mmCIF file of all heavy atoms in Angstrom:
data_model
loop_
_atom_site.group_PDB
_atom_site.id
_atom_site.type_symbol
_atom_site.label_atom_id
_atom_site.label_comp_id
_atom_site.label_asym_id
_atom_site.label_seq_id
_atom_site.Cartn_x
_atom_site.Cartn_y
_atom_site.Cartn_z
ATOM 1 N N SER K 1 102.200 121.860 101.406
ATOM 2 C CA SER K 1 102.551 120.582 101.937
ATOM 3 C C SER K 1 104.028 120.155 101.683
ATOM 4 O O SER K 1 104.723 119.562 102.448
ATOM 5 C CB SER K 1 101.697 119.357 101.435
ATOM 6 O OG SER K 1 101.868 119.409 99.942
ATOM 7 N N SER K 2 104.589 120.659 100.540
ATOM 8 C CA SER K 2 106.027 120.384 100.220
ATOM 9 C C SER K 2 106.925 121.004 101.189
ATOM 10 O O SER K 2 108.141 120.536 101.332
ATOM 11 C CB SER K 2 106.227 120.772 98.797
ATOM 12 O OG SER K 2 106.298 122.112 98.674
ATOM 13 N N LYS K 3 106.465 122.054 101.710
ATOM 14 C CA LYS K 3 107.504 122.812 102.712
ATOM 15 C C LYS K 3 107.880 122.097 103.923
ATOM 16 O O LYS K 3 108.691 122.560 104.703
ATOM 17 C CB LYS K 3 106.903 124.204 102.925
ATOM 18 C CG LYS K 3 106.879 125.036 101.662
ATOM 19 C CD LYS K 3 106.360 126.413 101.893
ATOM 20 C CE LYS K 3 106.290 127.227 100.681
ATOM 21 N NZ LYS K 3 105.826 128.596 100.897
ATOM 22 N N LYS K 4 107.015 120.962 104.268
ATOM 23 C CA LYS K 4 107.382 120.159 105.491
ATOM 24 C C LYS K 4 108.753 119.513 105.251
ATOM 25 O O LYS K 4 109.290 119.032 106.229
ATOM 26 C CB LYS K 4 106.315 119.200 105.652
ATOM 27 C CG LYS K 4 104.903 119.745 106.138
ATOM 28 C CD LYS K 4 103.923 118.646 106.230
ATOM 29 C CE LYS K 4 102.595 119.214 106.529
ATOM 30 N NZ LYS K 4 101.528 118.219 106.528
ATOM 31 N N GLY K 5 109.038 119.197 103.975
ATOM 32 C CA GLY K 5 110.300 118.557 103.693
ATOM 33 C C GLY K 5 111.404 119.510 103.391
ATOM 34 O O GLY K 5 111.192 120.701 103.238
ATOM 35 N N TRP K 6 112.582 119.019 103.018
ATOM 36 C CA TRP K 6 113.706 119.897 102.743
ATOM 37 C C TRP K 6 113.954 120.007 101.186
ATOM 38 O O TRP K 6 114.817 120.750 100.718
ATOM 39 C CB TRP K 6 115.034 119.546 103.354
ATOM 40 C CG TRP K 6 115.460 118.203 102.960
ATOM 41 C CD1 TRP K 6 115.200 116.931 103.419
ATOM 42 C CD2 TRP K 6 116.464 117.908 101.863
ATOM 43 N NE1 TRP K 6 115.858 115.915 102.773
ATOM 44 C CE2 TRP K 6 116.616 116.508 101.772
ATOM 45 C CE3 TRP K 6 117.139 118.687 101.037
ATOM 46 C CZ2 TRP K 6 117.469 115.880 100.877
ATOM 47 C CZ3 TRP K 6 117.991 118.149 100.085
ATOM 48 C CH2 TRP K 6 118.223 116.731 100.072
ATOM 49 N N THR K 7 113.179 119.308 100.354
ATOM 50 C CA THR K 7 113.385 119.392 98.965
ATOM 51 C C THR K 7 112.326 120.090 98.091
ATOM 52 O O THR K 7 112.127 119.889 96.979
ATOM 53 C CB THR K 7 113.564 117.908 98.406
ATOM 54 O OG1 THR K 7 112.266 117.277 98.522
ATOM 55 C CG2 THR K 7 114.675 117.226 99.027
ATOM 56 N N SER K 8 111.595 120.939 98.739
ATOM 57 C CA SER K 8 110.475 121.696 98.044
ATOM 58 C C SER K 8 110.963 122.617 97.051
ATOM 59 O O SER K 8 111.930 123.243 97.035
ATOM 60 C CB SER K 8 109.753 122.517 99.200
ATOM 61 O OG SER K 8 108.685 123.262 98.565
ATOM 62 N N GLU K 9 110.121 122.708 95.961
ATOM 63 C CA GLU K 9 110.322 123.639 94.946
ATOM 64 C C GLU K 9 109.282 124.809 95.020
ATOM 65 O O GLU K 9 109.171 125.688 94.060
ATOM 66 C CB GLU K 9 110.185 123.061 93.538
ATOM 67 C CG GLU K 9 111.119 121.979 93.122
ATOM 68 C CD GLU K 9 110.910 121.378 91.730
ATOM 69 O OE1 GLU K 9 109.746 121.464 91.233
ATOM 70 O OE2 GLU K 9 111.748 120.628 91.277
ATOM 71 N N ALA K 10 108.530 124.707 96.017
ATOM 72 C CA ALA K 10 107.328 125.649 96.157
ATOM 73 C C ALA K 10 107.731 127.145 96.107
ATOM 74 O O ALA K 10 106.881 127.940 95.590
ATOM 75 C CB ALA K 10 106.665 125.347 97.491
ATOM 76 N N ASP K 11 108.920 127.573 96.499
ATOM 77 C CA ASP K 11 109.399 128.937 96.405
ATOM 78 C C ASP K 11 109.856 129.259 94.999
ATOM 79 O O ASP K 11 110.030 130.541 94.752
ATOM 80 C CB ASP K 11 110.385 129.290 97.494
ATOM 81 C CG ASP K 11 109.917 129.193 98.875
ATOM 82 O OD1 ASP K 11 108.637 129.452 99.037
ATOM 83 O OD2 ASP K 11 110.662 128.809 99.805
ATOM 84 N N LEU K 12 110.077 128.310 94.218
ATOM 85 C CA LEU K 12 110.599 128.503 92.852
ATOM 86 C C LEU K 12 109.533 128.365 91.717
ATOM 87 O O LEU K 12 109.652 129.062 90.797
ATOM 88 C CB LEU K 12 111.782 127.531 92.475
ATOM 89 C CG LEU K 12 112.998 127.578 93.441
ATOM 90 C CD1 LEU K 12 113.916 126.417 93.103
ATOM 91 C CD2 LEU K 12 113.662 128.912 93.394
ATOM 92 N N LEU K 13 108.465 127.476 91.945
ATOM 93 C CA LEU K 13 107.466 127.218 91.022
ATOM 94 C C LEU K 13 106.144 127.052 91.675
ATOM 95 O O LEU K 13 106.062 126.411 92.747
ATOM 96 C CB LEU K 13 107.916 125.802 90.327
ATOM 97 C CG LEU K 13 109.133 125.787 89.534
ATOM 98 C CD1 LEU K 13 109.722 124.426 89.459
ATOM 99 C CD2 LEU K 13 108.780 126.236 88.149
ATOM 100 N N GLY K 14 105.179 127.520 90.909
ATOM 101 C CA GLY K 14 103.755 127.243 91.285
ATOM 102 C C GLY K 14 103.209 126.151 90.263
ATOM 103 O O GLY K 14 103.964 125.687 89.477
ATOM 104 N N GLY K 15 101.931 125.945 90.583
ATOM 105 C CA GLY K 15 101.324 124.978 89.594
ATOM 106 C C GLY K 15 101.646 123.489 89.955
ATOM 107 O O GLY K 15 102.237 123.227 91.084
ATOM 108 N N LEU K 16 101.332 122.640 89.125
ATOM 109 C CA LEU K 16 101.566 121.183 89.418
ATOM 110 C C LEU K 16 103.011 120.743 88.884
ATOM 111 O O LEU K 16 103.472 121.321 87.875
ATOM 112 C CB LEU K 16 100.529 120.337 88.685
ATOM 113 C CG LEU K 16 99.104 120.613 89.222
ATOM 114 C CD1 LEU K 16 98.083 119.726 88.353
ATOM 115 C CD2 LEU K 16 98.985 120.230 90.657
ATOM 116 N N ARG K 17 103.484 119.773 89.442
ATOM 117 C CA ARG K 17 104.720 119.066 89.038
ATOM 118 C C ARG K 17 104.489 118.039 87.907
ATOM 119 O O ARG K 17 105.225 117.873 87.071
ATOM 120 C CB ARG K 17 105.416 118.421 90.223
ATOM 121 C CG ARG K 17 106.609 117.581 89.873
ATOM 122 C CD ARG K 17 107.739 118.317 89.387
ATOM 123 N NE ARG K 17 109.009 117.620 89.179
ATOM 124 C CZ ARG K 17 109.274 116.731 88.176
ATOM 125 N NH1 ARG K 17 108.396 116.436 87.358
ATOM 126 N NH2 ARG K 17 110.496 116.091 88.222
ATOM 127 N N THR K 18 103.322 117.382 87.961
ATOM 128 C CA THR K 18 102.992 116.385 87.068
ATOM 129 C C THR K 18 101.377 116.237 87.077
ATOM 130 O O THR K 18 100.722 116.828 87.907
ATOM 131 C CB THR K 18 103.672 115.119 87.255
ATOM 132 O OG1 THR K 18 103.534 114.271 86.041
ATOM 133 C CG2 THR K 18 103.216 114.331 88.432
ATOM 134 N N ASP K 19 100.885 115.228 86.258
ATOM 135 C CA ASP K 19 99.538 114.888 86.335
ATOM 136 C C ASP K 19 99.358 113.522 85.887
ATOM 137 O O ASP K 19 100.327 112.910 85.419
ATOM 138 C CB ASP K 19 98.658 115.891 85.484
ATOM 139 C CG ASP K 19 98.897 115.861 84.027
ATOM 140 O OD1 ASP K 19 99.404 114.821 83.452
ATOM 141 O OD2 ASP K 19 98.748 116.952 83.265
ATOM 142 N N GLU K 20 98.206 112.909 86.025
ATOM 143 C CA GLU K 20 98.024 111.508 85.713
ATOM 144 C C GLU K 20 98.310 111.116 84.249
ATOM 145 O O GLU K 20 98.885 110.121 83.989
ATOM 146 C CB GLU K 20 96.497 111.045 86.080
ATOM 147 C CG GLU K 20 96.429 110.930 87.679
ATOM 148 C CD GLU K 20 95.109 110.329 88.129
ATOM 149 O OE1 GLU K 20 94.562 109.590 87.263
ATOM 150 O OE2 GLU K 20 94.806 110.603 89.312
ATOM 151 N N ASP K 21 97.900 112.048 83.303
ATOM 152 C CA ASP K 21 98.175 111.792 81.875
ATOM 153 C C ASP K 21 99.622 111.735 81.713
ATOM 154 O O ASP K 21 100.120 110.898 80.874
ATOM 155 C CB ASP K 21 97.513 112.792 81.066
ATOM 156 C CG ASP K 21 96.069 112.748 80.994
ATOM 157 O OD1 ASP K 21 95.492 111.706 81.296
ATOM 158 O OD2 ASP K 21 95.317 113.757 80.667
ATOM 159 N N ALA K 22 100.451 112.648 82.216
ATOM 160 C CA ALA K 22 101.877 112.643 82.066
ATOM 161 C C ALA K 22 102.489 111.395 82.598
ATOM 162 O O ALA K 22 103.402 110.768 81.983
ATOM 163 C CB ALA K 22 102.551 113.903 82.652
ATOM 164 N N LEU K 23 102.057 111.041 83.785
ATOM 165 C CA LEU K 23 102.565 109.713 84.412
ATOM 166 C C LEU K 23 102.255 108.567 83.530
ATOM 167 O O LEU K 23 103.090 107.665 83.274
ATOM 168 C CB LEU K 23 102.001 109.606 85.790
ATOM 169 C CG LEU K 23 102.599 110.552 86.923
ATOM 170 C CD1 LEU K 23 101.759 110.656 88.019
ATOM 171 C CD2 LEU K 23 104.077 110.354 87.188
ATOM 172 N N ARG K 24 101.034 108.443 83.052
ATOM 173 C CA ARG K 24 100.560 107.294 82.091
ATOM 174 C C ARG K 24 101.538 107.306 80.961
ATOM 175 O O ARG K 24 101.993 106.239 80.544
ATOM 176 C CB ARG K 24 99.100 107.579 81.762
ATOM 177 C CG ARG K 24 98.568 106.317 81.099
ATOM 178 C CD ARG K 24 97.000 106.412 81.042
ATOM 179 N NE ARG K 24 96.457 106.283 82.383
ATOM 180 C CZ ARG K 24 95.927 107.392 83.071
ATOM 181 N NH1 ARG K 24 95.951 108.526 82.589
ATOM 182 N NH2 ARG K 24 95.382 107.150 84.232
ATOM 183 N N THR K 25 101.734 108.521 80.292
ATOM 184 C CA THR K 25 102.591 108.537 79.105
ATOM 185 C C THR K 25 103.996 108.094 79.445
ATOM 186 O O THR K 25 104.592 107.281 78.658
ATOM 187 C CB THR K 25 102.609 109.976 78.622
ATOM 188 O OG1 THR K 25 101.284 110.329 78.190
ATOM 189 C CG2 THR K 25 103.576 110.113 77.433
ATOM 190 N N MET K 26 104.527 108.490 80.639
ATOM 191 C CA MET K 26 105.832 108.069 81.022
ATOM 192 C C MET K 26 105.838 106.398 81.105
ATOM 193 O O MET K 26 106.784 105.769 80.489
ATOM 194 C CB MET K 26 106.234 108.559 82.394
ATOM 195 C CG MET K 26 106.462 109.998 82.497
ATOM 196 S SD MET K 26 106.789 110.545 84.141
ATOM 197 C CE MET K 26 106.461 112.278 84.046
ATOM 198 N N LEU K 27 104.911 105.845 81.715
ATOM 199 C CA LEU K 27 104.817 104.423 81.892
ATOM 200 C C LEU K 27 104.633 103.630 80.604
ATOM 201 O O LEU K 27 104.999 102.466 80.500
ATOM 202 C CB LEU K 27 103.818 104.022 82.965
ATOM 203 C CG LEU K 27 104.070 104.370 84.412
ATOM 204 C CD1 LEU K 27 102.928 103.972 85.271
ATOM 205 C CD2 LEU K 27 105.320 103.729 84.931
ATOM 206 N N GLU K 28 104.088 104.280 79.624
ATOM 207 C CA GLU K 28 103.845 103.703 78.225
ATOM 208 C C GLU K 28 105.146 103.501 77.513
ATOM 209 O O GLU K 28 105.273 102.790 76.544
ATOM 210 C CB GLU K 28 102.843 104.464 77.454
ATOM 211 C CG GLU K 28 101.437 104.291 78.118
ATOM 212 C CD GLU K 28 100.408 105.277 77.385
ATOM 213 O OE1 GLU K 28 100.797 106.133 76.562
ATOM 214 O OE2 GLU K 28 99.224 105.086 77.660
ATOM 215 N N ASN K 29 106.213 104.335 77.883
ATOM 216 C CA ASN K 29 107.452 104.221 77.220
ATOM 217 C C ASN K 29 108.292 103.005 77.620
ATOM 218 O O ASN K 29 108.527 102.814 78.782
ATOM 219 C CB ASN K 29 108.307 105.562 77.530
ATOM 220 C CG ASN K 29 109.526 105.587 76.837
ATOM 221 O OD1 ASN K 29 110.158 104.587 76.414
ATOM 222 N ND2 ASN K 29 110.137 106.810 76.758
ATOM 223 N N PRO K 30 108.632 102.160 76.733
ATOM 224 C CA PRO K 30 109.313 100.884 77.099
ATOM 225 C C PRO K 30 110.624 101.123 77.698
ATOM 226 O O PRO K 30 111.154 100.206 78.342
ATOM 227 C CB PRO K 30 109.389 100.123 75.797
ATOM 228 C CG PRO K 30 109.236 101.114 74.688
ATOM 229 C CD PRO K 30 108.372 102.141 75.265
ATOM 230 N N ASN K 31 111.278 102.305 77.499
ATOM 231 C CA ASN K 31 112.560 102.540 78.124
ATOM 232 C C ASN K 31 112.473 103.172 79.467
ATOM 233 O O ASN K 31 113.466 103.552 80.074
ATOM 234 C CB ASN K 31 113.336 103.501 77.157
ATOM 235 C CG ASN K 31 113.537 102.887 75.858
ATOM 236 O OD1 ASN K 31 113.924 101.708 75.819
ATOM 237 N ND2 ASN K 31 113.504 103.696 74.792
ATOM 238 N N VAL K 32 111.259 103.334 80.023
ATOM 239 C CA VAL K 32 111.035 104.057 81.260
ATOM 240 C C VAL K 32 110.635 103.010 82.307
ATOM 241 O O VAL K 32 109.738 102.296 82.114
ATOM 242 C CB VAL K 32 110.037 105.163 81.094
ATOM 243 C CG1 VAL K 32 109.507 105.719 82.495
ATOM 244 C CG2 VAL K 32 110.560 106.373 80.274
ATOM 245 N N THR K 33 111.155 103.172 83.547
ATOM 246 C CA THR K 33 110.716 102.550 84.703
ATOM 247 C C THR K 33 110.476 103.650 85.826
ATOM 248 O O THR K 33 111.433 104.502 86.002
ATOM 249 C CB THR K 33 111.737 101.522 85.226
ATOM 250 O OG1 THR K 33 111.864 100.528 84.272
ATOM 251 C CG2 THR K 33 111.195 100.837 86.535
ATOM 252 N N ILE K 34 109.462 103.567 86.481
ATOM 253 C CA ILE K 34 109.261 104.461 87.682
ATOM 254 C C ILE K 34 109.271 103.478 88.856
ATOM 255 O O ILE K 34 108.381 102.706 88.896
ATOM 256 C CB ILE K 34 107.898 105.320 87.661
ATOM 257 C CG1 ILE K 34 107.949 106.255 86.499
ATOM 258 C CG2 ILE K 34 107.793 106.092 88.936
ATOM 259 C CD1 ILE K 34 106.700 107.096 86.373
ATOM 260 N N LEU K 35 110.323 103.490 89.600
ATOM 261 C CA LEU K 35 110.371 102.632 90.837
ATOM 262 C C LEU K 35 109.678 103.301 91.939
ATOM 263 O O LEU K 35 109.598 104.469 92.208
ATOM 264 C CB LEU K 35 111.824 102.476 91.274
ATOM 265 C CG LEU K 35 112.722 101.652 90.396
ATOM 266 C CD1 LEU K 35 114.157 101.691 91.005
ATOM 267 C CD2 LEU K 35 112.362 100.289 90.228
ATOM 268 N N THR K 36 108.836 102.428 92.652
ATOM 269 C CA THR K 36 108.056 102.986 93.807
ATOM 270 C C THR K 36 108.646 102.374 95.105
ATOM 271 O O THR K 36 109.156 101.255 95.097
ATOM 272 C CB THR K 36 106.579 102.583 93.774
ATOM 273 O OG1 THR K 36 106.442 101.192 93.667
ATOM 274 C CG2 THR K 36 105.955 103.245 92.514
ATOM 275 N N TYR K 37 108.503 103.227 96.231
ATOM 276 C CA TYR K 37 109.056 102.796 97.418
ATOM 277 C C TYR K 37 107.755 102.628 98.367
ATOM 278 O O TYR K 37 107.146 103.750 98.571
ATOM 279 C CB TYR K 37 109.971 103.751 98.059
ATOM 280 C CG TYR K 37 110.502 103.455 99.561
ATOM 281 C CD1 TYR K 37 111.775 102.773 99.654
ATOM 282 C CD2 TYR K 37 109.739 103.555 100.517
ATOM 283 C CE1 TYR K 37 112.169 102.476 100.919
ATOM 284 C CE2 TYR K 37 110.114 103.353 101.746
ATOM 285 C CZ TYR K 37 111.421 102.709 101.989
ATOM 286 O OH TYR K 37 111.864 102.407 103.322
ATOM 287 N N LYS K 38 107.415 101.459 98.864
ATOM 288 C CA LYS K 38 106.329 101.350 99.668
ATOM 289 C C LYS K 38 106.644 100.746 100.964
ATOM 290 O O LYS K 38 107.361 99.703 101.099
ATOM 291 C CB LYS K 38 105.193 100.518 98.979
ATOM 292 C CG LYS K 38 104.672 101.160 97.699
ATOM 293 C CD LYS K 38 103.567 100.319 97.065
ATOM 294 C CE LYS K 38 103.020 100.965 95.744
ATOM 295 N NZ LYS K 38 101.984 100.191 95.098
ATOM 296 N N GLU K 39 106.202 101.366 102.038
ATOM 297 C CA GLU K 39 106.095 100.731 103.394
ATOM 298 C C GLU K 39 104.763 100.256 103.771
ATOM 299 O O GLU K 39 103.890 101.036 103.810
ATOM 300 C CB GLU K 39 106.679 101.661 104.333
ATOM 301 C CG GLU K 39 108.183 101.936 104.412
ATOM 302 C CD GLU K 39 108.760 102.803 105.532
ATOM 303 O OE1 GLU K 39 107.995 103.132 106.464
ATOM 304 O OE2 GLU K 39 109.848 103.197 105.427
ATOM 305 N N SER K 40 104.631 98.970 104.079
ATOM 306 C CA SER K 40 103.281 98.460 104.433
ATOM 307 C C SER K 40 102.245 98.874 103.447
ATOM 308 O O SER K 40 101.136 99.333 103.818
ATOM 309 C CB SER K 40 102.897 98.881 105.841
ATOM 310 O OG SER K 40 103.886 98.363 106.796
ATOM 311 N N ASN K 41 102.669 98.763 102.161
ATOM 312 C CA ASN K 41 101.685 99.117 101.034
ATOM 313 C C ASN K 41 101.342 100.552 101.017
ATOM 314 O O ASN K 41 100.416 100.923 100.279
ATOM 315 C CB ASN K 41 100.490 98.211 101.185
ATOM 316 C CG ASN K 41 100.294 97.619 99.714
ATOM 317 O OD1 ASN K 41 101.081 97.562 98.933
ATOM 318 N ND2 ASN K 41 98.981 97.207 99.456
ATOM 319 N N HIS K 42 102.066 101.444 101.614
ATOM 320 C CA HIS K 42 101.817 102.900 101.548
ATOM 321 C C HIS K 42 102.942 103.560 100.752
ATOM 322 O O HIS K 42 104.116 103.439 101.146
ATOM 323 C CB HIS K 42 101.690 103.494 102.955
ATOM 324 C CG HIS K 42 101.549 104.938 102.983
ATOM 325 N ND1 HIS K 42 100.302 105.498 102.597
ATOM 326 C CD2 HIS K 42 102.341 106.021 103.352
ATOM 327 C CE1 HIS K 42 100.328 106.791 102.745
ATOM 328 N NE2 HIS K 42 101.593 107.140 103.208
#
């Protein structure tokens, strides 16, 4: 699916980029913000 875009790492790396636990840990850090971009709530 990543190969539809121009920024894919699929030819360099297999496996997952992240998982829900890692994202949760990131958000628990008070020095971290993950900004989201949503169009019509998507």
Side-chain angles (χ1 to χ4, degrees):
S1 63
S2 70
K3 293 180 181 180
K4 293 178 185 174
W6 66 271
T7 62
S8 174
E9 295 177 344
D11 293 332
L12 301 172
L13 291 153
L16 296 176
R17 171 65 170 78
T18 194
D19 61 32
E20 290 187 20
D21 288 339
L23 290 164
R24 191 169 291 103
T25 299
M26 290 175 199
L27 288 177
E28 289 171 353
N29 182 337
N31 297 321
V32 169
T33 300
I34 298 176
L35 291 178
T36 61
Y37 178 102
K38 295 180 181 180
E39 280 185 14
S40 301
N41 227 20
H42 181 68

